Amino acid sequence: MSPVANESTAHADGRVGRRIENYTAFWQKDMSKEDTQDTENRLENYVDVINGYYDGATGLYEYGWGTSFHFSRYYRGEGFYQALARHEHYLAFKMNLKPGMRVLDVGCGIGGPAREIAQFADVQIVGLNNNEFQVGRARKLTKKAGLENQVTYTVGDFMKLAEKFGENSFDAVYAIEATVHAPSWEGVYGEIQKVLKPGGIFGVYEWCMTDRWDPSIPEHKEVAHGIEIGNGIPEMRPLAKARQAILNVGFEIEHEEDLAERPDPIPWYYPLEGDIRKAQTLWDVFTVWRMSSSGKFVTHHGLWFIEKLGIVPKGTWEVGETLKIAADALVKSGREKLFTPMYLVVARKPAQN
């Protein structure tokens, strides 16, 4: 049973009841006590898991990362935000998005990638998100950018896309580090396949454990657990399972690559290391500093203080603590090549179903 099942009090900004405060209750504090029942509970209550996490983490993400909640590759001397935008442009390029296409962004966050891709490819984008707080932020930021007629947002469940939009509704669909939150990849990919028009294109940057990951090794299992609790993910799964799920629902894969396997001199996880010597531009020093020991100290105590003052909802500080667990797990798994946040797949729905 969900620990927040009986909480239904809604705030004006879209956050609900005690979802933030109860988020960490979905995990055992002692990882050694985690069992299949805990995972099954998170999968069954994935909506509460995701919303509890993002109700608490969204403001922290904006503070530390901007409006595009994803990782990217980096070139030497390339600014942090420029790299994020390039990562979004690359997906649009590989999908061959064309002006006038109707495109669905599955798990759109607060709309950073949708706004960027809409301008880059001159497409019409509908952003879907099951978190009302994030949708409210997305609409506000999109209106501020003057893109409200080109990028729109709706609250909905990515496991019920056909019910929401009807079948054969979009020329293209993309998902950037979002479908990892789904209770099953086949379920969400199947829904994406349904809402695509025949011949439509699907592009995804997926979070996966790599082939080097072995859940029978306690250290490997622990690092996956850290990624889960620190990112609102019910269950981390291997890359091979993502690939097979895409094929199982009827897609034809046109391109696939784990971009984290490229021999980049600057790794995708470098902003999480907190080493300001690695900042690629002067502007990025503050971004990297936030994950340094002093930056974490300021955030830790500052967040605790403003929560006590009632400026942020109760439970935000605890969610913030899980983000530190996530950062450590992501850096460790990135260095050891156990995890990738950028398994890129571009797949097409057959022209005739």
Side-chain angles (χ1 to χ4, degrees), residues 102-104 126 165-166 168-173 195-198 200-201:
R102 186 172 187 243
V103 181
L104 177 64
V126 177
F165 299 109
N168 308 320
S169 298
F170 293 94
D171 300 299
V173 179
V195 299
L196 270 173
K197 296 176 182 178
I201 199 75

Side-chain angles (χ1 to χ4, degrees), residues 199-341:
I201 199 75
F202 170 48
V204 60
Y205 285 130
E206 192 61 86
W207 276 35
C208 313
M209 306 310 292
T210 69
D211 293 339
R212 299 178 185 86
W213 179 71
D214 183 351
S216 69
I217 299 174
E219 188 179 53
H220 287 197
K221 186 176 181 181
E222 183 177 358
V223 79
H225 181 264
I227 294 171
E228 290 170 354
I229 191 172
N231 291 282
I233 298 168
E235 176 189 41
M236 285 303 300
R237 297 176 283 252
L239 184 152
K241 195 169 184 178
R243 185 182 194 278
Q244 193 57 52
I246 289 172
L247 294 172
N248 286 351
V249 302
F251 278 114
E252 298 170 349
I253 294 178
E254 296 187 348
H255 177 81
E256 62 173 317
E257 179 184 7
D258 178 4
L259 297 180
E261 287 290 338
R262 292 198 182 184
D264 295 329
I266 304 161
W268 60 264
Y269 52 80
Y270 104 84
L272 298 179
E273 293 180 294
D275 186 348
I276 61 174
R277 295 171 299 178
K278 295 182 180 180
Q280 294 301 295
T281 70
L282 184 61
W283 183 258
D284 296 335
V285 169
F286 186 54
T287 298
V288 177
W289 170 80
R290 293 185 184 106
M291 295 308 300
S292 67
S293 297
S294 59
K296 289 179 181 178
F297 178 86
V298 170
T299 302
H300 173 88
H301 292 282
L303 194 57
W304 178 87
F305 182 66
I306 63 175
E307 182 178 307
K308 292 299 182 183
L309 293 178
I311 296 173
V312 297
K314 190 175 181 181
T316 303
W317 177 85
E318 190 169 13
V319 171
E321 292 301 287
T322 70
L323 289 178
K324 293 194 289 187
I325 296 172
D328 292 341
L330 290 167
V331 170
K332 179 178 175 61
S333 61
R335 287 173 176 165
E336 298 178 7
K337 299 287 188 178
L338 299 175
F339 163 79
T340 176

